[in-house]
Amino acid sequence: MSALDFLVELGTEELPPKALDKLSAAFRAGIEKGLKDAGLAHGRVQAFAAPRRLAVLVEQLAAQQPDRSVNLDGPPIQAAFDAEGEPTQAALGFARKCGVELALIDRSGPKLKFSRTIEGLPAAELLPGIVEASLNELPIPKRMRWAARKDEFVRPTQWLVMLFGEQVIDCEILAQRAGRESRGHRFHNPAPVRISQPSSYLEDLRGAHVIADFAERRALIAKRVEQLASEQNGSAIVPPALLDEVTALVEWPVPLVCSFEERFLEVPQEALITTMQDNQKYFCLLDADGKLLPRFITVANIESKDPAQIVAGNEKVVRPRLTDAEFFFKQDKKQKLESFNERLRNVVFQAQLGSVYDKAVRVSRLAAFIAENTAGDVQQAARAGLLSKCDLATEMVGEFPEMQGIAGYYYALNDGEPQDVALALNEQYMPRGAGAELPSTRTGAILAVADKLDTLVGIFGIGMLPTGSKDPYALRRAALGILRILIEKQLDLDLVKAVDFAIAQFGSQVKASGLSEQVLAFVFERLRARYEDEGVEVATYLSVRAVAPASALDFDQRVQAVQAFRKLPEAEALAAANKRVSNLLGKFEAKLPETVEPRWFDNATEFSLYSALQQAEQAVQPLAEARQYREALERLAHLRAPVDAFFEAVLVNAEDASVRANRYALLARLRGLFLGVADISALG
């Protein structure tokens, strides 16, 4: 069967840059799906995308669809014909479905059957429908109409190229008649560009100053930006999302170095970087110490004979933005950071929970409580909490919302606040995402926990629990953040006491009944997902959850110990024994004796187990108190032999009530030893 290359290129007005790569990938996926559904064999499929075009190249596409056999089963014979042999509606309906007369239907078997061979169609006849279907299914949130036409697309279309080999496929899609003429660069080569064949597509456009391959343009920009930054004795900040967006804005990228006045460097560099990246799509430069250089890189979409004009134009455009940032910074510094709290008295945090100022006061008190219970600086924690939301009322954050926390850091330093307090104002929002950076200071870690815990308790307290699809206050992220900070920063906080303290601060604003248990369950349940991501078995998590440690750090230490215990050769047998003991104790209806009495022993294995338990208690209790859980479980592993021997030789449910009760007390003592670390019966 013969095969040819196939090319489709749809030309449009400038496509949305943030969506270009996604649209391109979806276009290719739709073409691939259509070819698969049609049974058309093909080789490699490539997608190309530039600001004014989406294209797909399919190598070695079969020229003819293969023939297909269709076998349809109909109703049973007895249902297809009545007693007189006349066809029923079921038989007639099946014939209509098959598109033939009833006489051509096979009735030799128990059911009516119809078989036919469908001849394959030429690929050229199928491709227009495949392309159109793929375009219709693109992830476009809002479609546009243009002129008086009813066609809809993400942007008005301008041209259409569809070549199968060297032949144009005769069709019209989205108001464009297919041809072989593309368009070159809007300024360098505005004339039509003839595409001789699919395989020459990239080079034909390259000759017209268009690099159609998105990945090639992206790599070219990244490499040239890196080179220019090095020439300026700096390094470029190149966020992947910004690089993608810039790549989607240009057809013929030409990176250029621009500069701005050094006086702007007195403004927090985060504000300058934010405005240059978000508003102007520039790549900022840092020196070896991570300080912003008074230069940036813009990517022009034209190879100018006088690039100085482009540089000057960009420098002129960015100056007002930097001047605004400078003005806001200077205005905010005219008053103390703490004074901005007055404005926050009138800013609602949540209608039922009061103002943002009210939240800051609660966070301050809670931070002080946490600091007192985790060897932190109580005064600094309280001060950081009180200042934590002040910068939300500043001009800087009003203009640049991304500066919340960062602006507070600079203003706190300007006011002479302690370094840790200033850092905490930014670190309260950490971690800002999964796996993101944690606070570097203890005060920052404490403030971050206090802020998140206050939000959790308040929102849960008014019944606004997150659902599967909605979590407007990011409570899941808050809980995960609390856990990461407590575990990774080694803060041994009793969460039960901290949650109770947080609840008390809200007073009648929240429904306190059952709230503590609800919040704690929500927080600790987040650990389950964390451990699953780390490859820790669910049973390990459940074994620790069963003993309900109040500290996330303590919880993690126990999980790591149980995970190590599971690798010991004695683990499986001891887990099974603990499960058996748990089941037996669960069925024991009488009151357990407070002590084990050796006088009721009537089997040597009882004495052996009792002696082994006494020795284990002496060794394990100090280890458990020191949270050396791994060592404790390794020591308890020595109990396997006496436990196995006990169950082999002893009938626990003895007829004598005193003997029976004593044996249950012995087993309860065994189980209690393990429960000092975890409920390993959950591992069985």
Side-chain angles (χ1 to χ4, degrees):
M1 184 180 292
S2 62
L4 301 169
D5 291 343
F6 167 65
L7 170 70
V8 54
E9 181 197 55
L10 179 66
T12 69
E13 294 296 327
E14 274 72 6
L15 293 160
K18 291 184 178 180
L20 182 62
D21 201 25
K22 181 190 288 186
L23 291 172
S24 176
F27 189 26
R28 177 180 62 190
I31 297 286
E32 288 177 319
K33 179 180 182 298
L35 296 177
K36 180 180 179 181
D37 292 345
L40 290 169
H42 59 83
R44 184 172 59 154
V45 180
Q46 294 174 270
F48 305 112
R52 298 188 298 147
R53 68 199 75 226
L54 293 171
V56 173
L57 173 63
V58 182
E59 297 179 359
Q60 293 299 292
L61 176 63
Q64 179 75 25
Q65 185 185 43
D67 295 343
R68 292 173 294 161
S69 295
V70 176
N71 298 303
L72 298 175
D73 284 338
I77 294 295
Q78 55 266 43
F81 300 95
D82 60 21
E84 285 74 33
E86 294 297 319
T88 63
Q89 287 300 315
L92 296 173
F94 179 64
R96 284 195 299 273
K97 176 182 176 182
C98 297
V100 297
E101 296 294 329
L102 184 59
L104 297 177
I105 299 294
D106 180 5
R107 61 182 78 180
S108 61
K111 291 183 177 180
L112 296 184
K113 294 184 68 176
F114 179 71
S115 301
R116 64 175 173 177
T117 299
I118 301 176
E119 292 185 9
L121 296 173
E125 293 185 21
L126 297 169
L127 287 170
I130 292 172
V131 170
E132 190 166 20
S134 180
L135 291 170
N136 288 337
E137 293 173 7
L138 292 185
I140 302 171
K142 191 172 183 180
R143 295 174 179 265
M144 296 177 63
R145 289 185 182 179
W146 57 98
R149 308 191 66 95
K150 293 184 179 180
D151 303 274
E152 293 183 348
F153 197 55
V154 61
R155 291 290 186 271
T157 60
Q158 297 293 316
W159 73 89
L160 176 65
V161 174
M162 282 184 65
L163 297 178
F164 190 41
E166 297 183 358
Q167 301 300 312
V168 174
I169 294 180
D170 184 23
C171 66
E172 181 177 310
I173 298 174
L174 290 175
Q176 300 300 324
R177 173 63 56 180
R180 64 170 65 250
E181 288 190 345
S182 180
R183 307 277 177 87
H185 191 283
R186 191 183 290 277
F187 303 111
H188 285 303
N189 204 124
V193 179
R194 187 178 188 276
I195 309 298
S196 54
Q197 57 187 0
S199 59
S200 69
Y201 173 70
L202 289 180
E203 292 310 311
D204 288 341
L205 285 181
R206 195 185 307 276
H209 281 79
V210 174
I211 300 176
D213 189 334
F214 186 94
E216 181 185 348
R217 288 200 314 282
R218 191 180 193 275
L220 188 154
I221 293 170
K223 181 178 180 180
R224 185 61 181 144
V225 165
E226 183 182 357
Q227 290 173 344
L228 291 175
S230 180
E231 291 172 9
Q232 300 297 318
N233 297 316
S235 60
I237 305 174
V238 187
L242 177 61
L243 180 57
D244 286 343
E245 189 173 357
V246 171
T247 302
L249 285 167
V250 295
E251 293 181 321
W252 194 256
V254 181
L256 299 167
V257 177
C258 309
S259 62
F260 57 86
E261 292 90 332
E262 289 196 22
R263 66 182 175 87
F264 290 123
L265 294 179
E266 296 178 8
V267 178
Q269 68 179 44
E270 293 87 351
L272 304 182
I273 292 170
T274 294
T275 190
M276 286 192 282
Q277 286 184 167
D278 294 355
N279 299 302
Q280 309 304 138
K281 314 306 175 188
Y282 296 151
F283 298 104
C284 301
L285 303 185
L286 302 177
D287 65 17
D289 297 324
K291 301 297 183 182
L292 187 66
L293 289 170
R295 286 176 284 285
F296 59 90
I297 296 174
T298 185
V299 180
N301 189 32
I302 188 171
E303 196 165 344
S304 175
K305 294 179 181 179
D306 186 8
Q309 294 285 347
I310 297 177
V311 170
N314 280 276
E315 291 175 350
K316 183 178 180 181
V317 166
V318 78
R319 192 171 294 114
R321 299 292 305 178
L322 301 185
T323 301
D324 286 347
E326 180 186 43
F327 173 77
F328 296 136
F329 185 57
K330 289 182 176 179
Q331 285 294 108
D332 289 338
K333 289 198 299 180
K334 289 180 179 179
Q335 56 184 302
K336 293 286 188 181
L337 179 61
E338 186 175 1
S339 68
F340 287 98
N341 259 334
E342 290 304 310
R343 298 186 188 180
L344 296 177
R345 290 180 185 273
N346 300 316
V347 178
V348 175
F349 165 63
Q350 202 285 330
Q352 296 171 252
L353 301 177
S355 67
V356 176
Y357 173 75
D358 295 332
K359 178 174 176 62
V361 172
R362 290 195 306 270
V363 169
S364 175
R365 293 171 181 162
L366 181 55
F369 172 85
I370 294 172
E372 187 177 358
N373 287 275
T374 56
D377 189 311
V378 175
Q379 289 185 335
Q380 287 194 355
R383 181 64 176 166
L386 192 63
L387 299 176
S388 62
K389 305 305 173 187
C390 288
D391 68 352
L392 298 180
T394 63
E395 300 291 338
M396 177 69 80
V397 175
E399 180 67 15
F400 305 107
E402 302 86 351
M403 288 291 291
Q404 68 174 7
I406 299 170
Y409 163 75
Y410 285 103
Y411 296 146
L413 287 182
N414 183 68
D415 292 348
E417 297 286 350
Q419 177 78 6
D420 275 15
V421 171
L423 284 169
L425 302 188
N426 181 36
E427 293 178 341
Q428 66 177 304
Y429 299 105
M430 295 180 178
R432 287 183 165 88
E437 182 184 4
L438 293 179
S440 63
T441 65
R442 180 169 286 265
T443 300
I446 289 169
L447 180 60
V449 171
D451 180 48
K452 294 170 177 58
L453 200 56
D454 177 81
T455 299
L456 273 168
V457 168
I459 301 303
F460 265 80
I462 58 175
M464 293 181 64
L465 280 63
T467 63
S469 59
K470 293 182 179 180
D471 187 7
Y473 288 90
L475 301 184
R476 293 185 182 89
R477 190 172 67 187
L480 283 169
I482 289 171
L483 293 167
R484 274 198 66 200
I485 293 170
L486 294 178
I487 292 171
E488 296 178 37
K489 303 301 289 187
Q490 301 281 296
L491 292 181
D492 193 18
L493 175 66
D494 187 321
L495 274 172
V496 176
K497 292 180 179 178
V499 169
D500 287 343
F501 184 92
I503 292 172
Q505 288 199 97
F506 283 98
S508 61
Q509 290 175 303
V510 298
K511 184 179 179 181
S513 178
L515 179 55
S516 177
E517 294 79 4
Q518 192 178 33
V519 171
L520 289 167
F522 180 80
V523 171
F524 281 110
E525 184 61 27
R526 306 278 78 73
L527 271 178
R528 180 173 185 155
R530 172 190 168 101
Y531 289 129
E532 285 179 359
D533 291 341
E534 293 177 358
V536 174
E537 293 90 339
V538 173
T540 299
Y541 161 81
L542 293 175
S543 72
V544 177
R545 187 78 180 95
V547 298
S551 160
L553 178 61
D554 186 29
F555 196 116
D556 185 67
Q557 291 168 338
R558 292 171 189 258
V559 164
Q560 304 309 326
V562 174
Q563 192 72 350
F565 170 75
R566 298 190 71 170
K567 298 176 182 177
L568 298 178
E570 300 88 352
E572 186 175 348
L574 283 171
N578 266 268
K579 191 168 187 176
R580 183 176 180 182
V581 170
S582 176
N583 291 336
L584 285 167
L585 292 173
K587 297 175 182 177
F588 188 69
E589 297 179 354
K591 183 180 179 181
L592 278 173
E594 295 181 1
T595 59
V596 177
E597 296 289 346
R599 64 192 176 93
W600 295 111
F601 293 159
D602 65 0
N603 188 292
T605 59
E606 290 182 272
F607 286 99
S608 297
L609 179 57
Y610 180 61
S611 176
L613 287 177
Q614 288 180 311
Q615 294 175 32
E617 285 170 347
Q618 292 179 359
V620 167
Q621 284 178 353
L623 290 173
E625 288 173 4
R627 293 195 181 174
Q628 294 177 295
Y629 297 124
R630 181 175 301 194
E631 293 80 358
L633 286 176
E634 287 174 354
R635 176 62 183 81
L636 290 175
H638 297 163
L639 293 173
R640 176 184 174 179
V643 168
D644 287 349
F646 175 84
F647 279 117
E648 286 178 11
V650 173
L651 177 64
V652 177
N653 288 314
E655 291 186 9
D656 187 298
S658 298
V659 172
R660 182 169 63 251
N662 197 57
R663 289 174 178 172
Y664 271 96
L666 185 64
L667 293 179
R669 194 159 166 181
L670 167 67
R671 181 154 170 75
L673 263 178
F674 281 94
L675 287 176
V677 179
D679 183 0
I680 69 165
S681 69
L683 308 179

